[in-house]
Amino acid sequence: MSSPILQLNDVQTHFPVESGFLFRHQTGTIKAVDGITLHVQRGEVLGLVGESGCGKSTLARTIMQLVPTTAGTVLLEGRNLTAASAAELLVARRDLQMIFQDPFASLNPRLTVYATLAEPLLVHRVVPPEQVRARVVALAEKVGLSSQVLGKYPHEFSGGQRQRIAIARALALEPKVIIADEPVSALDVSIQAQILNLLAQLCREMNLTLIFIAHDLSVVKHISDRIAVMYLGKIVELGPATDVMERPRHPYTQALVSAIPHLDPDLLRRSPRLVLAGDPPSPLHPPTGCAFHPRCPHVQPQCRTTTPPLQLAEPQRHVACLRLNEI
Amino acid sequence: MPLLEVTDLRTSFHTRNGVYRAVDGVSFTLAKGETLGLVGESGSGKSVTCYSLMGLVPQPPGRIESGTAMFDGTDLLHCSPAQARAIRGKRLAMIFQDPMTSLNPYLRIADQLIEPLLIHEKISRPAALARGLAMLEAVGINDAAQRLQAYPHEFSGGMRQRVMIAMALITRPEILIADEPTTALDVTVQAQILELIKKLQQEFQMAVIFVTHDLGVVSGLCDRVQVMYAGRIVETADTRTLFRAPRHPYTQALQRSIPSLQPKGRDLYTIPGLPPDLSKPNAGCAFADRCAAVTDRCHATAPGLLPVSATQATACLRVQAQEI
């Protein structure tokens, strides 16, 4: 196997919590990303799922180096991004681009589509100025926008079309890795299907590596090769997409899969849902031991004191649970 | 006799850019204790339908152009403000999509929770508080007695939606309108809230109108489903029939574009084009431009919602002519 294109080694991103007005002092730490080790192969689609507040967006921003890393390293093709200078980061970002959740907020309302798509080309000087126009037209066509819309502003487009513009912008520099943070959550079902197809097609054509973040498991399963499930800053299960969905091993993944509303009314009435009690815990006061223990149906005294490591449970499957072999 | 009978409801919004016909001739009935799902994409008119029934459409720019909504002998759309006040919040209650913004941040939970009781019933404050406490416990909030004195910001999203449900149900309404109550919540919390609504509905014997864009949520909860498109109902059927044998091309396309029903690795089915601009008059079927089974007739004549079997009605000329 070739070396992974993206390597995260024990990455931690912590945010200080401060209070006080005149005398600011730190009163706590939020461990948004708390020790994540992850290797992503070239051309792979990795799905990242978890509930709001579990740190999946912070992880995306950490990989992009949009937030400072507290500890650990992020390697892109062997280059250490966490220790890179601003100039080195600028170069690295040609290979690493991001698509955001809300296409209404992520596009500059005062730039035309043309200006939005031309900007990365001009900043990074990837083509001579006289070829910029041709490249922008080609980009627009690649994501299914006609060249006639290039003079329009973002407000003239629907949500799905705006997300296409955002995808084209991310593709402008022909990156190797794209991080898509909930790219379809704000869209209707029929539009969501169009964007998912587009992303899958682009990945195949351009041999892109995609990290796809979502809270909707069925969407993630459809597009991903592997799925990583996050809970409170840690990965609790990692494995091939279909396997994780059909035979979840971690109790949290089991609950997540069971919580997906089923489309077959009969099936649902036959198998009762596994409904978790309680809310996701506050990252400011994380539970001791296994972070999932207050909501876990299989909890044992040891779960309250010992933090389970992410370990190999079966070939290609990593699970972080102390009672893995008993449940 | 149905509990609620809506006939030919038309609500439009008069703006500088034209008249948007958000709800364009919607008729349906709701029986006692029934759960009715109202499904559609954004802009299909499902929320405006509910807002019209609750009298929450801002007028202007909104205007209820025609229609009646008969609830126990009273027309909700044309009754006096005093009549509306007596029904709304007491016999007809609503919960909203966003639990973060639908509670008053300045009031303690207790004050908001018992407000409907103090307005609608002759009840003392201590007695109302006792009912509020019981209601909070019924929706599954721990330490309810202490929680009564808390402010909304001290609650998580799921807990706030539980408070909203407690508030809506405290007067024991006959109809609960739930407008995307779980859209803003995480999946595990969504599962909790759906179970809660199901349980309380059986306990209280109330009818529920459940508005959502998520077909999956509907299938586990509703007895009957209505699919809306561009301000009209295009198909209505009992839940099992709608999922097993949808007839309208839009319902079929909608189901085919859901990822969990598709084999992995294959492209998802997509509906070409975009929903129509509701400010432009449209003589034919609103879905005609995107429909795979379109004929010339579809552009000329608007189909009515007609029964195609005992439990299913479809607004499609070609289905009605038994061509597809």
Side-chain angles (χ1 to χ4, degrees), chain A residues 51-52 188 190 193-194 196-197 218 221-222 224 242 256 261-264 266 268 275-279 295, chain B residues 41-42 156 159 186-188 190 192 216-217 219-220 240 243-244 258-261 264 266-271:
Chain A
E51 296 179 274
S52 42
D188 275 320
S190 68
Q194 293 174 6
L196 285 176
N197 283 348
S218 55
K221 178 196 172 195
H222 185 82
S224 313
T242 319
L256 267 187
H262 250 296
L263 279 159
D264 188 334
D266 293 335
L268 188 76
V275 177
L276 282 182
D279 288 314
R295 303 174 78 193
Chain B
E41 297 185 80
S42 36
S156 69
M159 300 265 275
D186 282 317
V187 266
T188 58
Q190 165 174 297
Q192 295 171 1
V217 168
S219 82
R240 175 201 281 252
F243 283 97
R244 286 290 159 80
I258 295 172
S260 60
L261 294 183
K264 189 176 151 55
R266 190 106 53 82
D267 264 4
L268 293 170
Y269 180 80
T270 59
I271 308 174

Side-chain angles (χ1 to χ4, degrees), chain B residues 109-258:
Chain B
I109 294 299
D111 296 322
Q112 312 194 38
L113 188 61
I114 64 170
E115 193 183 2
L117 276 183
L118 298 177
I119 290 173
H120 289 292
E121 292 180 21
K122 282 183 185 144
I123 190 169
S124 69
R125 200 181 147 84
L129 276 174
R131 287 240 325 248
L133 182 66
M135 202 60 226
L136 268 197
E137 278 165 357
V139 297
I141 287 181
N142 299 329
D143 309 326
Q146 284 168 22
R147 288 303 209 161
L148 271 179
Q149 297 310 314
Y151 286 93
H153 74 266
E154 298 172 58
F155 285 68
S156 69
M159 300 265 275
R160 281 185 227 192
Q161 199 56 288
R162 285 172 195 268
V163 172
M164 287 296 298
I165 293 173
M167 232 163 106
L169 299 189
I170 198 162
T171 54
R172 303 207 156 230
E174 286 146 80
I175 300 178
L176 174 70
I177 300 178
D179 186 6
E180 308 233 9
T182 59
T183 306
L185 305 174
D186 282 317
V187 266
T188 58
V189 180
Q190 165 174 297
Q192 295 171 1
I193 298 293
L194 291 179
E195 292 294 319
L196 175 68
I197 292 178
K198 222 191 278 186
K199 189 187 106 199
L200 292 173
Q201 177 188 19
Q202 277 159 11
E203 235 174 88
F204 287 29
Q205 287 292 307
M206 61 181 178
V208 176
I209 300 179
F210 197 94
V211 179
T212 178
H213 64 270
D214 189 339
L215 281 170
V217 168
V218 163
S219 82
L221 192 73
C222 299
D223 305 317
R224 203 152 55 86
V225 185
Q226 286 177 169
V227 182
M228 286 191 74
Y229 185 78
R232 295 177 192 161
I233 296 173
V234 294
E235 182 149 35
T236 170
D238 64 286
T239 306
R240 175 201 281 252
T241 311
L242 192 94
F243 283 97
R244 286 290 159 80
R247 297 292 300 275
H248 195 284
Y250 176 66
T251 320
Q252 291 175 349
L254 205 57
Q255 286 190 24
R256 285 172 65 189
S257 53
I258 295 172

Side-chain angles (χ1 to χ4, degrees), chain B residues 45-59:
Chain B
K46 50 195 196 306
S47 291
V48 178
T49 303
C50 297
Y51 281 35
S52 304
L53 296 179
M54 291 295 289
L56 296 177
V57 173
Q59 306 190 29

Side-chain angles (χ1 to χ4, degrees), chain B residues 12-21 60-63 277-279:
Chain B
S12 53
F13 290 89
H14 296 250
T15 69
R16 269 187 293 179
N17 299 325
V19 180
Y20 286 83
R21 286 164 292 117
R63 193 186 290 168
D277 183 347
L278 295 176
S279 65

